[in-house]
């Protein structure tokens, strides 16, 4: 199969009751970081606000659970903590025009056949069939590499295994990773692997415990901090391979968010979690496909800030969100938070990465496989 | 890496205190299916019984939690329920010679490097590194296909996905499956896939719910029962592909054990669970490698009846036991039951099968990959 | 809250299109255990078959995935394997009258407020709130003890802990357990606890490993087999406490189904799994509430054979099905199989039993607690 | 059982080879936040450093993976990121005196019988017996309330249920919670419950979805931010019950650490994760018992900063660490990180809290229950 973008369904504002809708109301902020009462909170969907009679405006870069701030004829979706006194915040909670607000909850038809099929399934479990998801993913990533922006959200388990770390570094070099969100541990253990060929002191391939191996990640952090930065550590030859090496080589933007469980941290890690959240959202706003794996915290954080759509030069298009995890719990938790548009693959991320890298290589060489007859 | 069998460490019975050990004692059974008090129960290890001064005899086909029955100079390991009045059962529970019984708890040195490395690891989780396990498995399966007997224990999830069902059928045709233990559901859903291209009514690849799809597995069972047997269903053309088709084609021995949750069942399913246990053990006694996946019940049942060693024309050699599952719970449960020699891979069986089939194909074409430097 | 039975919604057969429906068709069986093509398979819901113009008959004791056999004006729901040549089996798969068959998919309104609330929730996880489920369960069990039949389905983990085994035995003695479905392991480890105060050789309370403790369950099985039966073992004084002791004392009916992983087995265990299935269904047909815990195999088996309704002297009433497990996977698996009416509590069964026994005791002493204001 | 502190085993420094050990070496820091090469990293155990011949000094407040800084005859355990130029850092990695460093890996004998028993168990799973763990916990908490410092580490799931939120608030009021570590979500949903009687918009008890319920946590955050602080929100009457209310009333110290997935946040949440880590460690240094539940991130973060011992006016004593979770994965992960002294209870935290609060109440009224005979 070859991927094609689904067309966007523009709401028709020329029909009642929308023709009778009032203008959206905006109320100024009084105290910094506090929204007016009855503020409107955004969803993951495209939303329209009637600014003047017949002029319905959609903010281009949305995320859920934020407020809408008017700046002339432009609307911004803003975290409440970032509100300044005087900001004009939309108020009203009805979503079918009654408050001058319209939420488009079915923005796209069947997405390459996928979204529709999804609807037929009741519960996804580890026993769900995932062959088609892999094939659709290959097709999507080929398209996005040239026409979109593929953002990866990664927990450290992806570099705890020799083959998956190699596969991921190859995906970076081949252009399938266009942005990276992670924490301190990913960079630390990736560089531990480069310097010591271990993860937390165990052979990355052999699983042999190295003598004094529990010092490896501490020494890695210390030596990179001594070098002053991760780029300096790479350019000095201290770190000669791996994921962060490839990220550096290809000049891929990334955010490493700090956490209370960090050792070190690496020099590039952001200590302020809300500054990190802002930096992460800046990358999410560019994203057209997000792949989150092996991290509950980051998957949910990014799930919360990823809308179902984005506006590009092609117009309004979907943002695809894949979540890869071993546990039904994480998948259900994402669903319960309202990140409804996520697709999930329940498996070990090691296998997922090795399989995906290989599948993409075959796809490039041989083209898409014919779908099985059914 | 190329697989080589580890040498067996024969105990030295010419040294004290074993030279001073008494003869093993055997007591006749009084009631059918009831062992004498103080009966000796077998472990997963090679065990020796001194039948005459200096003559220590090891039963060739053991399993844990059974009793040892003497038949002249031969010893049989027998489930207590199978005891007949008059059977001579070994009594005594000390295992270092004091009762004429010696248990060899370290029969093999480092198994291809593997067993030793294992010792270094503390807890296996989904974040453990599995690259080496795949490579060792390819190497092992190449060896066993020609020199051993590879027994698979399978839950129905392996045929719920298009690619994994194909991979498994190819593994059968290529000779890597030499025996099969499963339940009614594996055969049912494999044949449902052949006839309807669905699993429980959902497209095996497309995941589309078929109209009246919940009838598919019931119709499949009914039509195979009408045909009279699975071979008849295959030969009539009703079933044209899949795992059971390949098993039939290659004439692979199998046991399908019935369970209280079966629909149908398929004609070949054994209704009596102890008769099924006996038939399963007959296959396990031939096995040199066992791969159990996606079934807690069968994995534990077979784990319980698989010893750590077997005797072949090559002498005493290990039996390898792999368990593939999504859940740490199942892995720990196997360990807690005393099936200590099992290796585990924590992943989705769909990915495991696709990856393994492909890895074996590459191995055949290109030979074993050089291990990474560490 | 006090439990009251919801009224049954009788379909109205005097309105079109049902007034125009044809008679249901019945076709004779040709070969034993094989249904006619196009057989109608039952659901978990009440189903009606028009036998004569205006005479719609509902089978009283249903279960899903079976066929409907006509015996004069009475209908029986029969497993296909039990069909005899000449049996008249209903054919037709449309369920809104077109084939003379009508399925009542909404038989009851809000069940004590519960079923309705259920509908509002999206996904149940370990983070769902369970306070109300406990309170509703206490209320339900008080009612059912006097007016229904409470059937428990138990895995062996319920007797692996001192306090939960005591709580369960008390529930039996207090009348809240009116039938029991389990396997060999439950009886074995319960009696091991009675004889040796261990579970699999570990102190039930202290968790200390007993010397030669791995013999305890084998000795227990051997001694009960020597006694000839579990009742004989109890009456001889070998087994002086525990769950099976209370079951015996109160003369509670039970079925122990054999499995391929059994040691022993206990004398009362049924070796033929389809005979066991029939015996289990005979108890399920009496059940008005089923509580299944700590066993995936038995929970799903019983889930499959439990309809959403039963007919008692009070008329048509719901059958309540509770599933208690640690894992979202088991819960979703039950849901995916069509056992949609199950309520689930995600927790450790030890805590569930201790909490439930205590909650029922308080309820008896103090009456139902007032619900919190909301 | 009544709790008694185990005596500390002081190493004997008057015996060889320790009498021949060199002095510990200290090397000055050159760049801020970078340790000298070959720095010594701390473990969870008491460690001694020979500062002058025969003078072995132990730092009183340790944590693993940090460095040891000398300040005259006093030693501080410091996170590498906090090092200032000129700080004297201990170097040397041998731990039996060879580098003037001695690590006491068996500081305490059998802890109330518990630590020893622990050693007998192989793997803990959900099927492990937990009765004794509850009883020991009651006994411990009674002791610690008067003689120690009980620190709780909590995920938001503890306030998602009516009964468990009540139980936790009671534990606070009764003095069993002496410090609290949590994140923004705990405070947010606890106050949502107080204001709206919902959690994420669902009735805390009834599970009914409230109209516009997805606004509840956003409104809660906004109103508390408008009030200016959580204490102000409580004192104004906005928040009238719950966990944070009790914490405020009893003047319990707490740290709320920010995270990248926060909405809001609450005014007291710390945005800088390393400042938060420092504040958390300040509470951990006071702790004698830590109870961590329903949060993987915080449990591991606090597990990493909790040593196995602390020094109080009673001398050197153990720090007890309990982890309560649904998943074997989290438990194993803690163990794999070296937090070996943790005890785990695998269950739903709702049941754990309700059971523990009730058990403590009974213990106070009736005294410790006699242990069962075994």
């Amino acid at each position: 199969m070859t991927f094609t973008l689904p067309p966007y369904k523009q709401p028709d504002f020329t029909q009642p009751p929308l023709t009778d809708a009032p203008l959206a109301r905006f109320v100024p902020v009084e105290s910094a970081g506090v929204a007016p009462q009855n503020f409107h909170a955004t969803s993951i969907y495209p939303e329209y606000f009637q600014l003047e009679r017949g002029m319905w405006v959609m903010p281009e870069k949305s995320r859920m659970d934020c407020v809408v701030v008017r700046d002339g004829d432009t609307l911004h979706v803003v975290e409440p903590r970032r509100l300044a006194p005087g900001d004009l915040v939309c108020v009203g909670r009805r979503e079918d025009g009654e408050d001058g607000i319209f939420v488009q909850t079915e923005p796209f038809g069947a997405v390459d056949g996928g979204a529709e099929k999804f609807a037929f399934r009741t519960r996804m479990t580890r026993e769900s069939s995932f062959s088609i998801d892999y094939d659709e993913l290959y097709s999507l990533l080929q398209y996005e590499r040239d026409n979109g922006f593929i953002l990866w959200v990664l927990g450290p388990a992806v570099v705890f295994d020799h083959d998956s770390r190699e596969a991921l570094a190859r995906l970076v070099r081949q252009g399938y990773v266009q942005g990276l969100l992670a924490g301190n541990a990913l960079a630390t253990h990736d560089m531990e692997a480069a310097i010591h060929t271990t993860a937390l002191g165990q052979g990355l391939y052999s699983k042999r415990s190295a003598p004094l191996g529990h010092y490896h990640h501490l020494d890695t952090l210390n030596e990179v901090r001594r070098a002053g930065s991760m780029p300096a550590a790479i350019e000095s030859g201290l770190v000669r391979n791996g994921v962060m090496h490839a990220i550096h080589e290809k000049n891929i933007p990334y955010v490493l968010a700090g956490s209370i469980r960090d050792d070190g941290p690496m020099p590039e890690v952001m200590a302020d979690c809300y500054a990190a959240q802002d930096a992460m959202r800046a990358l999410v706003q560019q994203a057209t496909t997000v792949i989150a794996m092996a991290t509950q915290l980051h998957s949910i954080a990014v799930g919360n800030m990823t809308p179902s759509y984005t506006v590009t030069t092609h117009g309004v298009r979907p943002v695809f969100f894949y979540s890869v995890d071993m546990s039904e719990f994480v998948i259900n938790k994402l669903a319960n938070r309202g990140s409804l548009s996520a697709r999930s693959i329940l498996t070990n991320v090691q296998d997922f990465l090795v399989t995906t890298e290989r599948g993409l290589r075959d796809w490039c060489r041989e083209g898409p496989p014919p779908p099985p007859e059914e």
Side-chain angles (χ1 to χ4, degrees), chain A:
Chain A
M1 68 196 76
T2 305
F3 178 81
T4 48
L5 270 181
Y8 176 61
K9 282 196 208 158
Q10 182 75 32
D12 183 353
F13 295 108
T14 66
Q15 299 298 322
L18 292 179
T19 43
D20 302 326
L23 299 189
R25 277 215 312 135
F26 292 84
V27 170
V29 167
E30 294 184 5
S31 322
V34 180
Q37 281 178 326
N38 200 32
F39 63 86
H40 175 78
T42 47
S43 66
I44 59 170
Y45 299 111
E47 306 194 354
Y48 292 84
F49 301 82
Q50 188 170 222
L51 299 189
E52 294 175 37
R53 172 74 32 214
M55 182 177 122
W56 292 81
V57 175
M58 181 186 72
E60 297 205 348
K61 300 296 178 190
S62 191
R63 64 157 289 184
M64 72 174 185
D65 288 350
C66 285
V67 295
V68 176
V69 173
R70 178 170 186 172
D71 178 14
D73 287 352
T74 306
L75 298 175
H76 299 288
V77 173
V78 176
E79 288 80 2
R81 65 181 153 78
R82 292 169 52 216
L83 288 172
D87 279 354
L88 290 169
V89 170
C90 182
V91 296
R93 297 184 169 183
R94 289 173 296 178
E95 308 197 324
D96 280 321
E98 307 90 326
D99 289 327
I101 302 167
F102 181 80
V103 179
Q104 167 59 304
T105 53
E106 293 192 337
F108 308 105
V111 179
D112 193 26
E116 193 187 2
K117 285 169 235 160
F118 224 74
F120 285 110
R121 304 159 67 189
T122 55
R123 305 279 180 96
M124 163 164 300
T125 75
R126 58 194 68 172
E127 296 188 350
S128 297
S129 160
F130 294 113
S131 294
I132 194 175
D133 297 294
Y134 276 111
D135 287 347
E136 288 182 357
L137 181 64
Y138 304 152
S139 170
L140 175 65
L141 293 184
Q142 298 292 2
Y143 176 86
E144 295 288 54
R145 177 167 64 165
D146 300 328
N147 303 283
F149 186 94
I150 309 169
L151 179 62
W152 294 67
V153 185
L154 298 175
V158 298
V159 296
F160 280 178
D161 170 69
H162 177 269
D163 289 356
S164 70
R165 181 171 171 265
E166 294 273 306
L168 181 54
R170 270 200 294 268
L171 287 168
V172 175
R173 278 190 232 103
Q174 286 154 6
Y176 296 106
V177 178
Q178 295 165 329
L180 172 65
L181 303 177
N184 181 59
L186 177 82
T188 301
H189 294 296
D190 179 56
M191 292 194 165
E192 177 192 343
I195 299 171
H196 299 281
T197 70
T198 57
L200 273 173
Q202 278 200 335
L204 202 63
Y205 181 76
S206 69
K207 293 193 264 201
R208 265 191 296 269
S209 289
L212 290 176
H214 60 289
Y215 274 98
H216 286 182
H217 76 285
L218 299 174
D219 281 342
T220 297
L221 282 162
N222 203 49
E223 294 313 305
V224 176
R225 287 169 69 91
R226 188 188 309 283
S229 72
M230 296 197 302
I234 291 165
E235 279 154 25
S236 75
L238 179 65
V239 171
R240 295 172 186 276
N241 58 51
V243 176
M244 295 314 298
H245 188 273
I247 289 282
H248 176 70
E249 229 174 39
K250 297 277 292 183
N251 207 21
I252 307 296
Y254 62 90
V255 178
L256 300 182
S259 105
I260 50 173
R261 52 180 276 204
D262 292 347
D263 291 310
M266 286 292 182
E268 282 73 14
V269 170
M270 298 183 73
D272 183 303
C273 60
Y274 304 118
Q277 202 186 72
D278 293 343
M280 291 165 72
R281 190 178 163 207
L283 279 184
V284 168
Q285 286 182 343
Q286 297 181 58
T288 55
T289 286
V290 178
I291 305 178
M293 63 178 77
T295 158
Q296 188 176 326
L297 173 67
H298 287 250
S299 292
I300 293 172
V302 177
N304 287 353
M305 63 176 77
T306 305
S308 67
Y309 74 101
T310 190
V311 183
T312 69
T313 51
H314 300 79
V316 182
R317 56 153 286 175
V319 178
F320 296 96
F321 192 99
Y322 283 80
S323 150
V324 185
D325 206 281
M326 285 288 271
S327 144
E328 275 86 0
F329 173 60
V330 172
I331 303 306
N332 286 331
K333 204 168 159 88
L334 267 167
N336 274 343
R337 290 270 160 175
S339 306
L340 292 165
S341 64
R343 293 218 202 169
S344 300
I345 296 183
L346 279 148
T347 192
N348 191 311
V349 291
Q350 298 176 26
D351 279 323
F352 175 81
L353 282 167
V354 167
T355 300
T356 297
E357 190 271 332
R358 188 154 190 173
L360 284 166
R361 242 191 301 148
D362 290 353
W363 209 95
C364 286
R365 207 172 45 230
E366 300 160 21
E373 283 175 40
E374 244 178 51

